[in-house]
């Protein structure tokens, strides 16, 4: 039986990597697609763990061989999801988590409308700026212009929020992780593929997932969108 594809997108620095690592730790049977990228490794990143780091020529060869489900250019570098991750997860009957940008999410939703998409927002522009600077310090510093460019890109990416099924605001890590877990488990329940959940547990998970559905999140995110000057 094929599993569900979960797409997660967020402006850089929102905490998506932190959140997805937590989610993988607490939710079983969730495979993570390791993307290919032409950007150099950052901080403690390892080839084959966070990304497969390849040259532009290698990436272009993979495009020509139609090895990507989707790919996009982000911040001047190529990023792409290899089709083989999909086939491998499907063969194992596992769900697959794709951490990809808004361009990639659009391509995947077009090809596979049943994919479940989640957009992660930071609590405000100010908090995003703080997190970008904090991470940059931890990793030995990044040029001011890189941080400035990421903040400008964030506003552009956030404009696409309404194309997603769920909106999670990453304020308190524990709460946002619980919301992500509720989305995954309630989607599994809907597909008849979640075991060991009591009726009371099921009700609570579904209530939680519903609260972060796009239609129900609009009021909560108004102030955040305003801080990025995004039209609603
Ligand atoms: P992304 O993958 O979206 O670019 P990261 O996961 O690298 O973002 O997080 C950016 C920075 O914010 C990191 O220093 C991380 O530790 C911090 N961070 C992530 N989530 C939270 C949170 N809920 N509260 C406070 N800091 C956070
Ligand atoms: P970073 O360089 O900060 O790891 O990632 C930059 C952006 O590229 C993020 O928005 C991330 O989601 C996106 N990204 C990572 N892998 C892929 C991928 O395979 N495809 C697409 N379209 N975007 C990706």
């Amino acid at each position: 039986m094929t599993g569900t594809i979960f797409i997660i997108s967020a402006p850089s620095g929102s905490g998506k990597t932190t959140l997805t690592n937590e989610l993988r730790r607490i939710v079983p049977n969730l495979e993570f697609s390791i993307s290919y990228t032409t950007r150099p490794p950052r901080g403690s990143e390892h080839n084959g763990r966070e990304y497969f780091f390849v040259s532009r020529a290698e990436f272009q060869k993979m495009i020509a061989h139609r090895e990507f489900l989707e790919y996009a250019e982000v911040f001047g570098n190529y990023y792409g999801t290899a089709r083989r991750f999909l086939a491998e997860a499907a063969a194992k009957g596992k769900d697959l988590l794709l951490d990809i940008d808004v361009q990639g999410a659009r391509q995947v939703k077009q090809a596979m409308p049943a994919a479940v998409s989640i957009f992660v927002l930071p609590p405000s522009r100010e908090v995003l700026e703080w997190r970008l600077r904090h991470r940059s310090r931890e990793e030995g510093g990044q040029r001011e212009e890189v941080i400035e460019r990421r903040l400008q890109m964030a506003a552009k990416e956030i404009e696409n929020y309404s194309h997603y099924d769920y909106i999670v605001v990453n304020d308190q890590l524990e709460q946002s992780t619980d919301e992500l877990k509720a989305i995954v488990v309630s989607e599994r329940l809907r597909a008849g593929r979640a075991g060991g959940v009591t009726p009371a547990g099921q009700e609570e998970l579904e209530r939680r997932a519903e609260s972060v559905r796009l239609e129900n999140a609009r009021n909560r995110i108004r102030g955040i969108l305003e801080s990025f000057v995004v039209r609603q």
Side-chain angles (χ1 to χ4, degrees), residues 144-187:
E144 183 59 30
E145 69 205 55
V146 174
I147 291 180
E148 211 32 65
R149 193 150 54 104
R150 291 204 167 206
L151 281 168
Q152 281 165 13
M153 276 298 296
K156 283 231 141 324
E157 283 173 61
I158 291 173
E159 282 175 7
N160 296 280
Y161 79 95
S162 62
H163 301 307
Y164 286 73
D165 301 313
Y166 294 96
I167 311 285
V168 169
V169 178
N170 181 24
D171 189 353
Q172 299 301 317
L173 190 58
E174 203 181 322
Q175 185 183 336
S176 19
T177 311
D178 281 349
E179 287 169 354
L180 281 181
K181 181 183 171 183
I183 294 168
V184 172
V185 181
S186 70
E187 288 288 343

Side-chain angles (χ1 to χ4, degrees), residues 16 35 39 42 51 70 72 79-81 99-101 104 150:
K16 186 175 43 160
S35 297
R39 86 146 161 78
R42 208 164 52 199
Y51 284 105
E70 64 74 33
Y79 292 81
T81 307
D99 167 348
I100 57 179
D101 85 321
R150 291 204 167 206

Side-chain angles (χ1 to χ4, degrees), residues 49-83:
R49 192 175 66 189
E50 288 82 5
Y51 284 105
F52 291 107
F53 297 97
V54 295
S55 67
R56 260 186 117 77
E58 284 172 294
F59 199 99
Q60 272 154 351
K61 202 190 286 172
M62 289 181 74
I63 297 175
H65 291 164
R66 301 183 48 77
E67 289 183 44
F68 290 117
L69 167 68
E70 64 74 33
Y71 68 90
E73 199 162 353
V74 187
F75 307 125
N77 291 302
Y78 278 130
Y79 292 81
T81 307
R83 289 184 198 277

Side-chain angles (χ1 to χ4, degrees), residues 216-228:
N216 303 326
R218 289 193 191 270
N219 270 344
R220 221 158 12 96
I221 63 174
R222 186 158 295 142
I224 304 172
L225 299 178
E226 278 167 9
S227 77
F228 284 96

Side-chain angles (χ1 to χ4, degrees), residues 95-161:
D95 294 336
L96 186 67
L97 183 64
L98 306 181
D99 167 348
I100 57 179
D101 85 321
V102 293
Q103 307 169 72
R106 201 177 313 127
Q107 295 175 47
V108 175
K109 266 287 204 186
Q110 249 162 28
M112 289 175 298
V116 175
S117 59
I118 306 162
F119 196 83
V120 175
L121 279 173
S124 66
R125 188 185 194 278
E126 199 183 358
V127 172
L128 180 64
E129 181 167 355
W130 189 89
R131 285 187 191 162
L132 281 169
R133 289 191 194 287
H134 176 75
R135 186 178 66 187
S136 157
R137 271 197 303 276
E138 275 182 343
E139 293 178 348
Q142 242 163 23
R143 291 193 314 273
E144 183 59 30
E145 69 205 55
V146 174
I147 291 180
E148 211 32 65
R149 193 150 54 104
R150 291 204 167 206
L151 281 168
Q152 281 165 13
M153 276 298 296
K156 283 231 141 324
E157 283 173 61
I158 291 173
E159 282 175 7
N160 296 280
Y161 79 95

